[in-house]
Coordinates of all heavy atoms in Angstrom, one line a residue:
M232 N 0.9 -1.2 0.0 CA 0.0 0.0 0.0 C 0.9 1.2 0.0 O 1.8 1.3 0.8 CB -0.9 0.0 1.3 CG -1.9 1.1 1.3 SD -2.8 1.0 2.9 CE -4.4 0.6 2.2
S233 N 0.6 2.2 -0.9 CA 1.4 3.4 -0.9 C 0.6 4.6 -0.7 O -0.6 4.6 -1.0 CB 2.2 3.5 -2.2 OG 1.3 3.4 -3.3
P234 N 1.2 5.6 -0.1 CA 0.4 6.8 0.2 C 0.1 7.6 -1.0 O 0.7 7.4 -2.1 CB 1.3 7.6 1.1 CG 2.7 7.2 0.7 CD 2.5 5.7 0.3
P235 N -0.8 8.6 -0.9 CA -1.1 9.5 -2.0 C 0.2 10.2 -2.5 O 1.1 10.4 -1.6 CB -2.1 10.5 -1.5 CG -2.7 9.9 -0.3 CD -1.6 8.9 0.2
P236 N 0.3 10.5 -3.7 CA 1.6 11.1 -4.2 C 2.0 12.4 -3.5 O 3.2 12.7 -3.4 CB 1.3 11.5 -5.7 CG 0.0 10.9 -6.0 CD -0.7 10.4 -4.8
A237 N 1.1 13.1 -2.9 CA 1.4 14.4 -2.2 C 1.8 14.2 -0.7 O 2.2 15.1 -0.1 CB 0.2 15.3 -2.3
A238 N 1.7 12.9 -0.2 CA 2.1 12.7 1.2 C 3.5 12.9 1.4 O 4.4 12.3 0.8 CB 1.7 11.3 1.6
T239 N 3.8 13.9 2.4 CA 5.2 14.2 2.7 C 5.3 14.4 4.2 O 4.4 15.0 4.8 CB 5.6 15.6 2.0 OG1 5.4 15.4 0.6 CG2 7.0 15.9 2.3
C240 N 6.3 13.9 4.8 CA 6.5 14.1 6.2 C 6.9 15.5 6.5 O 7.9 16.0 5.9 CB 7.7 13.2 6.7 SG 8.1 13.4 8.4
P241 N 6.2 16.2 7.4 CA 6.5 17.6 7.7 C 7.8 17.8 8.5 O 8.4 18.9 8.5 CB 5.3 18.1 8.5 CG 4.8 16.9 9.1 CD 5.0 15.8 8.2
I242 N 8.3 16.7 9.0 CA 9.6 16.8 9.8 C 10.8 16.7 9.0 O 11.7 17.5 9.0 CB 9.6 15.7 11.0 CG1 8.4 16.0 11.9 CG2 10.9 15.8 11.7 CD1 8.2 14.9 12.9
C243 N 10.9 15.6 8.1 CA 12.1 15.4 7.3 C 11.9 15.6 5.8 O 12.8 15.5 5.1 CB 12.6 14.0 7.6 SG 11.7 12.7 6.9
G244 N 10.6 15.7 5.4 CA 10.3 15.8 4.0 C 10.3 14.5 3.3 O 10.2 14.4 2.0
G245 N 10.4 13.4 4.0 CA 10.3 12.0 3.4 C 9.0 11.8 2.8 O 7.9 12.3 3.1
R246 N 9.0 10.9 1.8 CA 7.8 10.5 1.0 C 7.5 9.1 1.1 O 6.5 8.6 0.5 CB 7.9 11.0 -0.4 CG 8.0 12.5 -0.6 CD 8.1 12.8 -2.1 NE 7.9 14.2 -2.3 CZ 6.7 14.8 -2.6 NH1 5.6 14.0 -2.7 NH2 6.6 16.1 -2.7
E247 N 8.2 8.3 1.9 CA 8.0 6.9 2.0 C 7.5 6.6 3.4 O 8.1 7.0 4.4 CB 9.3 6.1 1.7 CG 9.1 4.6 1.6 CD 10.4 4.0 1.3 OE1 11.3 4.6 0.7 OE2 10.6 2.8 1.6
F248 N 6.4 5.8 3.5 CA 5.8 5.5 4.8 C 5.6 4.0 4.9 O 5.3 3.3 3.9 CB 4.5 6.2 4.9 CG 4.6 7.7 5.0 CD1 4.6 8.5 3.8 CD2 4.8 8.4 6.1 CE1 4.8 9.8 3.8 CE2 4.9 9.8 6.2 CZ 5.0 10.5 5.0
G249 N 5.7 3.5 6.1 CA 5.5 2.1 6.3 C 4.6 1.8 7.5 O 4.1 2.7 8.2
P250 N 4.3 0.5 7.8 CA 3.4 0.2 8.8 C 4.0 0.4 10.2 O 5.2 0.3 10.4 CB 3.1 -1.3 8.6 CG 4.3 -1.8 7.9 CD 4.8 -0.6 7.1
Y251 N 3.1 0.6 11.2 CA 3.5 0.7 12.6 C 2.3 0.3 13.4 O 1.2 0.8 13.3 CB 4.0 2.1 12.9 CG 4.4 2.2 14.4 CD1 5.7 1.7 14.7 CD2 3.7 2.8 15.3 CE1 6.1 1.8 16.0 CE2 4.1 2.9 16.6 CZ 5.3 2.4 17.0 OH 5.8 2.6 18.3
N252 N 2.4 -0.7 14.3 CA 1.4 -1.2 15.2 C 0.1 -1.5 14.4 O -1.0 -1.0 14.8 CB 1.1 -0.2 16.3 CG 2.1 -0.3 17.4 OD1 2.9 -1.2 17.5 ND2 2.1 0.6 18.3
R253 N 0.2 -2.2 13.4 CA -1.0 -2.6 12.5 C -1.6 -1.5 11.8 O -2.7 -1.6 11.3 CB -2.0 -3.4 13.4 CG -1.4 -4.7 14.0 CD -2.5 -5.5 14.7 NE -3.2 -4.7 15.7 CZ -3.2 -4.9 17.0 NH1 -2.5 -5.9 17.4 NH2 -3.8 -4.1 17.8
R254 N -1.0 -0.3 11.8 CA -1.5 0.8 11.0 C -0.7 1.0 9.7 O 0.5 1.3 9.8 CB -1.5 2.1 11.8 CG -2.3 2.0 13.1 CD -2.4 3.4 13.8 NE -1.2 4.1 13.9 CZ -0.4 4.0 15.0 NH1 -0.6 3.1 15.9 NH2 0.7 4.8 15.0
P255 N -1.3 0.8 8.6 CA -0.5 0.9 7.4 C -0.1 2.4 7.2 O -0.8 3.3 7.5 CB -1.4 0.5 6.3 CG -2.8 0.6 6.8 CD -2.7 0.4 8.3
L256 N 1.1 2.6 6.7 CA 1.6 4.0 6.3 C 1.6 4.9 7.5 O 1.4 6.1 7.4 CB 0.7 4.6 5.2 CG 0.5 3.7 4.0 CD1 -0.4 4.3 3.0 CD2 1.9 3.4 3.3
A257 N 1.9 4.4 8.7 CA 1.9 5.2 9.9 C 3.2 5.8 10.2 O 3.3 6.9 10.8 CB 1.4 4.4 11.1
R258 N 4.3 5.2 9.8 CA 5.7 5.6 10.2 C 6.4 6.1 9.0 O 6.5 5.5 8.0 CB 6.4 4.5 10.8 CG 7.9 4.9 11.3 CD 8.6 3.7 11.8 NE 8.1 3.2 13.1 CZ 8.6 3.5 14.3 NH1 9.6 4.3 14.4 NH2 8.1 3.0 15.3
C259 N 7.0 7.3 9.2 CA 7.9 7.9 8.1 C 9.1 7.0 8.1 O 9.8 6.8 9.1 CB 8.2 9.3 8.4 SG 9.5 10.0 7.3
M260 N 9.5 6.5 6.9 CA 10.7 5.7 6.8 C 12.0 6.6 6.8 O 13.1 6.0 7.0 CB 10.7 4.9 5.5 CG 9.4 4.0 5.4 SD 9.2 3.0 6.9 CE 10.4 1.8 6.6
G261 N 11.8 7.9 6.7 CA 13.0 8.8 6.7 C 13.4 9.1 8.1 O 14.6 8.9 8.5
C262 N 12.5 9.5 9.0 CA 12.9 9.9 10.3 C 12.2 9.1 11.4 O 12.5 9.2 12.6 CB 12.5 11.4 10.6 SG 10.7 11.7 10.5
G263 N 11.3 8.2 11.1 CA 10.7 7.3 12.0 C 9.5 7.9 12.8 O 8.9 7.3 13.6
A264 N 9.1 9.1 12.4 CA 7.9 9.8 13.1 C 6.6 9.1 12.7 O 6.4 8.7 11.6 CB 7.9 11.2 12.7
V265 N 5.8 8.9 13.8 CA 4.4 8.4 13.5 C 3.5 9.6 13.5 O 3.9 10.8 13.6 CB 4.0 7.4 14.6 CG1 4.9 6.2 14.6 CG2 4.1 8.0 16.0
E266 N 2.2 9.3 13.3 CA 1.2 10.3 13.0 C 1.2 11.4 14.1 O 1.2 12.6 13.7 CB -0.2 9.7 12.9 CG -0.4 8.7 11.9 CD -0.3 7.3 12.5 OE1 0.5 7.0 13.4 OE2 -1.1 6.4 12.0
R267 N 1.1 11.1 15.3 CA 1.0 12.1 16.4 C 2.2 13.0 16.5 O 2.1 14.2 16.7 CB 0.7 11.4 17.7 CG 1.9 10.6 18.3 CD 1.6 10.1 19.7 NE 2.7 9.2 20.1 CZ 2.7 7.9 19.9 NH1 1.7 7.3 19.3 NH2 3.8 7.2 20.3
T268 N 3.4 12.4 16.2 CA 4.6 13.2 16.2 C 4.6 14.2 15.0 O 5.0 15.4 15.2 CB 5.9 12.3 16.1 OG1 5.8 11.3 17.1 CG2 7.2 13.1 16.2
R269 N 4.2 13.8 13.8 CA 4.1 14.7 12.7 C 3.1 15.8 12.9 O 3.3 16.9 12.6 CB 3.8 13.9 11.4 CG 4.9 12.9 11.0 CD 4.7 12.4 9.6 NE 3.5 11.6 9.4 CZ 3.3 10.3 9.6 NH1 4.4 9.6 10.0 NH2 2.2 9.7 9.4
K270 N 2.0 15.4 13.6 CA 1.0 16.5 13.9 C 1.5 17.5 14.9 O 1.3 18.7 14.8 CB -0.3 15.8 14.4 CG -1.1 15.1 13.3 CD -2.3 14.4 13.8 CE -3.0 13.6 12.7 NZ -4.1 12.9 13.2
L271 N 2.2 17.0 15.9 CA 2.8 17.9 16.9 C 3.8 18.8 16.2 O 3.8 20.0 16.5 CB 3.5 17.0 18.0 CG 4.3 17.8 19.0 CD1 3.4 18.8 19.8 CD2 5.0 16.9 20.0
W272 N 4.6 18.3 15.3 CA 5.6 19.2 14.6 C 4.8 20.3 13.8 O 5.3 21.4 13.8 CB 6.5 18.4 13.7 CG 7.5 19.3 13.1 CD1 7.5 19.7 11.8 CD2 8.6 19.9 13.7 NE1 8.5 20.5 11.5 CE2 9.2 20.7 12.7 CE3 9.1 20.0 15.0 CZ2 10.3 21.5 13.0 CZ3 10.2 20.7 15.3 CH2 10.8 21.5 14.3
M273 N 3.7 19.9 13.2 CA 3.0 20.9 12.4 C 2.4 22.0 13.3 O 2.4 23.2 13.0 CB 1.9 20.2 11.6 CG 2.4 19.4 10.5 SD 1.2 18.7 9.3 CE 0.0 18.0 10.3
V274 N 1.9 21.6 14.5 CA 1.4 22.6 15.5 C 2.6 23.5 15.9 O 2.4 24.7 16.0 CB 0.7 21.9 16.7 CG1 0.5 22.9 17.8 CG2 -0.6 21.2 16.2
L275 N 3.7 22.9 16.3 CA 4.8 23.7 16.7 C 5.3 24.7 15.6 O 5.6 25.8 15.9 CB 6.0 22.8 17.2 CG 5.7 22.0 18.4 CD1 6.9 21.0 18.7 CD2 5.6 22.9 19.6
A276 N 5.4 24.2 14.4 CA 5.8 25.0 13.3 C 4.8 26.2 13.1 O 5.2 27.3 12.8 CB 5.9 24.2 12.0
H277 N 3.5 25.9 13.2 CA 2.5 26.9 13.1 C 2.7 28.0 14.1 O 2.5 29.2 13.9 CB 1.1 26.3 13.2 CG 0.0 27.3 13.1 ND1 -0.4 27.9 11.9 CD2 -0.8 27.8 14.0 CE1 -1.4 28.7 12.1 NE2 -1.6 28.7 13.4
L278 N 3.1 27.6 15.3 CA 3.3 28.6 16.4 C 4.7 29.2 16.3 O 5.0 30.1 17.2 CB 3.2 27.9 17.8 CG 1.8 27.3 18.1 CD1 1.8 26.5 19.3 CD2 0.8 28.5 18.2
G279 N 5.5 28.8 15.4 CA 6.9 29.4 15.3 C 7.8 28.9 16.3 O 8.8 29.5 16.6
L280 N 7.6 27.6 16.7 CA 8.5 27.0 17.7 C 9.2 25.8 17.0 O 8.7 25.2 16.1 CB 7.6 26.5 18.9 CG 6.9 27.6 19.6 CD1 5.9 27.0 20.6 CD2 7.8 28.6 20.3
P281 N 10.3 25.4 17.5 CA 11.1 26.1 18.6 C 11.9 27.2 18.0 O 12.3 27.2 16.8 CB 12.1 25.0 19.0 CG 12.3 24.1 17.8 CD 11.0 24.2 17.1
R282 N 12.0 28.2 18.8 CA 12.8 29.4 18.4 C 14.3 29.1 18.7 O 14.6 28.5 19.7 CB 12.4 30.6 19.2 CG 11.0 31.1 18.8 CD 10.5 32.3 19.6 NE 9.2 32.6 19.2 CZ 8.1 32.3 20.0 NH1 8.3 31.7 21.1 NH2 6.9 32.7 19.6
P283 N 15.2 29.6 17.8 CA 16.6 29.4 18.0 C 17.0 29.9 19.4 O 16.6 31.0 19.8 CB 17.3 30.2 16.9 CG 16.2 30.2 15.8 CD 14.9 30.3 16.6
G284 N 17.8 29.1 20.1 CA 18.2 29.5 21.4 C 17.3 29.3 22.6 O 17.6 29.6 23.7
S285 N 16.1 28.7 22.3 CA 15.1 28.4 23.3 C 15.6 27.2 24.2 O 16.3 26.3 23.7 CB 13.8 27.9 22.7 OG 13.2 28.9 21.9
R286 N 15.3 27.3 25.5 CA 15.6 26.2 26.4 C 14.4 25.2 26.2 O 13.3 25.6 26.4 CB 15.7 26.7 27.8 CG 16.1 25.6 28.8 CD 16.3 26.2 30.2 NE 17.3 27.2 30.3 CZ 18.6 26.9 30.5 NH1 19.0 25.6 30.7 NH2 19.5 27.8 30.5
I287 N 14.8 23.9 26.0 CA 13.7 22.9 25.7 C 14.0 21.7 26.7 O 15.0 21.1 26.7 CB 13.8 22.4 24.3 CG1 13.5 23.6 23.3 CG2 12.7 21.3 24.0 CD1 13.7 23.3 21.9
L288 N 12.9 21.3 27.4 CA 12.9 20.1 28.2 C 12.0 19.1 27.4 O 10.8 19.4 27.3 CB 12.4 20.3 29.6 CG 12.2 19.1 30.5 CD1 13.6 18.4 30.7 CD2 11.6 19.5 31.8
H289 N 12.5 18.0 27.0 CA 11.8 17.1 26.1 C 11.7 15.7 26.9 O 12.7 15.1 27.0 CB 12.5 17.0 24.8 CG 11.8 16.2 23.8 ND1 12.4 15.9 22.6 CD2 10.5 15.7 23.7 CE1 11.5 15.2 21.8 NE2 10.4 15.1 22.5
L290 N 10.6 15.4 27.4 CA 10.4 14.1 28.1 C 10.0 13.0 27.1 O 9.1 13.3 26.2 CB 9.3 14.3 29.2 CG 9.6 15.4 30.2 CD1 8.4 15.6 31.1 CD2 10.9 15.2 30.9
A291 N 10.5 11.8 27.3 CA 10.3 10.7 26.4 C 10.6 11.2 24.9 O 9.7 11.2 24.1 CB 8.9 10.1 26.5
P292 N 11.8 11.6 24.7 CA 12.1 12.3 23.4 C 12.0 11.4 22.2 O 12.7 10.4 22.1 CB 13.5 12.8 23.6 CG 14.1 11.8 24.6 CD 13.0 11.4 25.5
E293 N 11.1 11.8 21.2 CA 11.0 11.2 20.0 C 12.3 11.6 19.2 O 12.6 12.7 19.1 CB 9.8 11.6 19.2 CG 8.5 11.4 19.9 CD 8.1 12.5 20.8 OE1 8.9 13.4 21.1 OE2 6.9 12.6 21.1
P294 N 13.0 10.6 18.6 CA 14.2 10.9 17.9 C 14.0 11.9 16.8 O 14.9 12.8 16.5 CB 14.7 9.6 17.3 CG 14.1 8.6 18.3 CD 12.8 9.1 18.7
S295 N 12.9 11.8 16.0 CA 12.7 12.8 14.9 C 12.6 14.2 15.4 O 13.1 15.1 14.8 CB 11.5 12.4 14.1 OG 10.4 12.2 15.0
L296 N 11.9 14.4 16.5 CA 11.8 15.8 17.1 C 13.1 16.2 17.8 O 13.5 17.3 17.8 CB 10.6 15.9 18.1 CG 9.2 15.8 17.4 CD1 8.2 15.9 18.5 CD2 9.0 16.8 16.3
G297 N 13.7 15.2 18.4 CA 15.0 15.5 19.2 C 16.0 16.1 18.3 O 16.7 17.1 18.6
A298 N 16.1 15.6 17.0 CA 17.1 16.1 16.1 C 16.8 17.6 15.8 O 17.7 18.4 15.7 CB 17.1 15.3 14.8
R299 N 15.5 17.9 15.6 CA 15.1 19.3 15.2 C 15.3 20.2 16.4 O 15.8 21.3 16.3 CB 13.7 19.3 14.8 CG 13.4 18.7 13.5 CD 14.1 19.6 12.4 NE 13.6 19.2 11.1 CZ 12.9 19.9 10.3 NH1 12.6 21.2 10.6 NH2 12.5 19.5 9.1
F300 N 14.9 19.7 17.6 CA 15.1 20.6 18.8 C 16.5 20.8 19.1 O 16.9 22.0 19.5 CB 14.4 19.9 20.0 CG 12.9 19.8 20.0 CD1 12.2 18.9 20.8 CD2 12.2 20.6 19.1 CE1 10.9 18.8 20.7 CE2 10.8 20.6 19.1 CZ 10.1 19.7 19.9
H301 N 17.4 19.8 19.0 CA 18.8 20.0 19.2 C 19.4 21.0 18.2 O 20.3 21.8 18.6 CB 19.5 18.7 19.2 CG 21.0 18.8 19.6 ND1 22.0 18.9 18.6 CD2 21.6 18.8 20.8 CE1 23.1 19.0 19.2 NE2 22.9 18.9 20.5
A302 N 19.0 20.9 17.0 CA 19.5 21.8 16.0 C 19.1 23.3 16.3 O 19.9 24.2 16.0 CB 18.9 21.4 14.6
A303 N 17.9 23.5 16.9 CA 17.5 24.8 17.2 C 18.1 25.3 18.5 O 18.4 26.5 18.6 CB 16.0 24.8 17.3
S304 N 18.3 24.5 19.4 CA 18.7 24.9 20.8 C 20.1 24.5 21.2 O 20.6 25.0 22.3 CB 17.7 24.5 21.8 OG 16.4 25.1 21.5
G305 N 20.7 23.5 20.6 CA 22.0 23.1 21.0 C 22.1 22.6 22.4 O 21.3 21.8 22.8
E306 N 23.0 23.2 23.2 CA 23.2 22.8 24.6 C 22.0 23.2 25.5 O 21.9 22.7 26.6 CB 24.4 23.4 25.1 CG 25.7 22.9 24.5 CD 25.9 21.4 24.6 OE1 25.7 20.9 25.7 OE2 26.2 20.8 23.6
L307 N 21.1 23.9 25.0 CA 19.9 24.3 25.8 C 18.7 23.3 25.6 O 17.7 23.4 26.2 CB 19.3 25.7 25.4 CG 20.3 26.8 25.7 CD1 19.7 28.1 25.1 CD2 20.6 26.9 27.1
Y308 N 19.0 22.2 24.8 CA 18.0 21.1 24.6 C 18.3 20.1 25.6 O 19.5 19.6 25.7 CB 18.1 20.6 23.2 CG 17.3 19.3 23.0 CD1 16.0 19.3 23.2 CD2 17.9 18.2 22.5 CE1 15.2 18.2 23.0 CE2 17.2 17.0 22.3 CZ 15.9 17.0 22.5 OH 15.1 15.9 22.3
H309 N 17.3 19.7 26.4 CA 17.5 18.7 27.5 C 16.5 17.6 27.4 O 15.4 17.6 27.9 CB 17.3 19.4 28.9 CG 18.2 20.5 29.1 ND1 19.6 20.4 29.4 CD2 18.0 21.9 29.1 CE1 20.1 21.6 29.5 NE2 19.2 22.5 29.3
P310 N 16.9 16.5 26.6 CA 16.0 15.3 26.5 C 16.2 14.4 27.8 O 17.3 14.2 28.2 CB 16.5 14.6 25.3 CG 18.0 15.0 25.2 CD 18.1 16.4 25.8
C311 N 15.0 14.0 28.3 CA 15.0 13.2 29.5 C 14.0 12.0 29.5 O 13.0 12.2 28.8 CB 14.6 14.1 30.7 SG 15.7 15.5 31.0
D312 N 14.4 10.9 30.1 CA 13.5 9.8 30.2 C 13.8 9.0 31.5 O 14.9 9.1 32.0 CB 13.6 8.9 29.0 CG 12.4 8.0 28.9 OD1 11.3 8.4 28.5 OD2 12.6 6.8 29.2
L313 N 12.8 8.2 31.9 CA 13.1 7.3 33.1 C 14.1 6.3 32.7 O 14.9 5.8 33.6 CB 11.8 6.7 33.6 CG 10.8 7.6 34.2 CD1 9.5 6.9 34.5 CD2 11.3 8.2 35.5
V314 N 14.2 5.8 31.5 CA 15.1 4.8 31.0 C 15.9 5.4 29.9 O 15.6 5.1 28.7 CB 14.4 3.5 30.6 CG1 15.4 2.4 30.3 CG2 13.4 3.1 31.7
P315 N 16.9 6.3 30.1 CA 17.6 7.0 29.1 C 18.4 6.0 28.1 O 18.6 6.4 27.0 CB 18.6 7.9 29.8 CG 18.6 7.5 31.2 CD 17.3 6.7 31.4
A316 N 18.7 4.8 28.6 CA 19.4 3.8 27.7 C 18.6 3.4 26.5 O 19.1 2.9 25.5 CB 19.8 2.6 28.5
L317 N 17.3 3.7 26.5 CA 16.4 3.3 25.4 C 16.6 4.3 24.2 O 16.2 4.0 23.1 CB 14.9 3.4 25.8 CG 14.4 2.3 26.8 CD1 13.0 2.6 27.1 CD2 14.6 0.9 26.2
Y318 N 17.2 5.4 24.4 CA 17.4 6.4 23.4 C 18.9 6.5 23.0 O 19.7 6.8 23.8 CB 16.9 7.8 23.9 CG 15.5 7.7 24.3 CD1 15.1 7.4 25.6 CD2 14.5 8.0 23.4 CE1 13.8 7.3 26.0 CE2 13.1 7.9 23.8 CZ 12.8 7.6 25.1 OH 11.5 7.5 25.4
R319 N 19.1 6.3 21.7 CA 20.5 6.4 21.2 C 20.5 7.6 20.2 O 19.7 7.7 19.3 CB 20.8 5.2 20.5 CG 20.7 3.9 21.3 CD 22.0 3.4 21.8 NE 21.9 2.1 22.4 CZ 22.0 1.9 23.7 NH1 22.2 3.0 24.5 NH2 21.9 0.7 24.2
S320 N 21.5 8.4 20.4 CA 21.7 9.6 19.4 C 23.1 9.9 19.4 O 23.8 9.8 20.3 CB 20.9 10.8 19.9 OG 21.2 11.9 19.1
K321 N 23.6 10.2 18.2 CA 25.0 10.6 18.0 C 25.2 12.1 18.2 O 26.3 12.5 18.4 CB 25.4 10.3 16.5 CG 25.4 8.8 16.2 CD 25.8 8.5 14.8 CE 25.8 7.0 14.5 NZ 26.0 6.7 13.1
T322 N 24.1 12.8 18.3 CA 24.2 14.3 18.5 C 23.8 14.8 19.8 O 24.2 15.9 20.2 CB 23.3 15.0 17.4 OG1 22.0 14.6 17.6 CG2 23.8 14.7 16.0
Y323 N 23.1 14.1 20.6 CA 22.7 14.6 22.0 C 22.6 13.4 22.9 O 22.4 12.3 22.5 CB 21.4 15.4 21.9 CG 20.2 14.7 21.4 CD1 19.4 13.9 22.2 CD2 19.9 14.8 20.0 CE1 18.3 13.2 21.6 CE2 18.8 14.1 19.5 CZ 18.0 13.3 20.3 OH 17.0 12.7 19.8
R324 N 22.7 13.7 24.2 CA 22.6 12.6 25.3 C 21.3 12.8 26.0 O 20.9 13.9 26.4 CB 23.7 12.8 26.2 CG 23.8 11.8 27.3 CD 25.0 11.9 28.1 NE 24.9 11.1 29.3 CZ 25.4 11.4 30.5 NH1 26.1 12.5 30.6 NH2 25.2 10.6 31.5
V325 N 20.6 11.7 26.2 CA 19.3 11.7 27.0 C 19.6 11.4 28.4 O 20.4 10.4 28.7 CB 18.3 10.6 26.4 CG1 17.1 10.6 27.2 CG2 18.0 10.9 24.9
F326 N 19.1 12.2 29.3 CA 19.3 12.0 30.8 C 18.2 11.4 31.4 O 17.1 11.5 31.1 CB 19.6 13.4 31.4 CG 20.8 14.1 30.9 CD1 20.7 14.9 29.8 CD2 22.1 13.8 31.4 CE1 21.9 15.6 29.3 CE2 23.2 14.4 30.9 CZ 23.1 15.3 29.8

């Protein structure tokens, strides 16, 4: 099953989508974002967030959003989780 030709991930611009939890075409194959993450990014973008240099506390950080938040805020981005070992990133550390 393939998405409509205009389907594009708002986070990474990817056009390829795959299944996730029995939902066809739910996960972006480029950044791994699922529907709710893509919708959240669209709301944040509409609000003009994140602003460069903003301090961001990100709980249970989705990798696709974490990359964008870290790019905008650098050392002011603080991803946290109860089990930080579940999150692997080459650009930021989860606490």
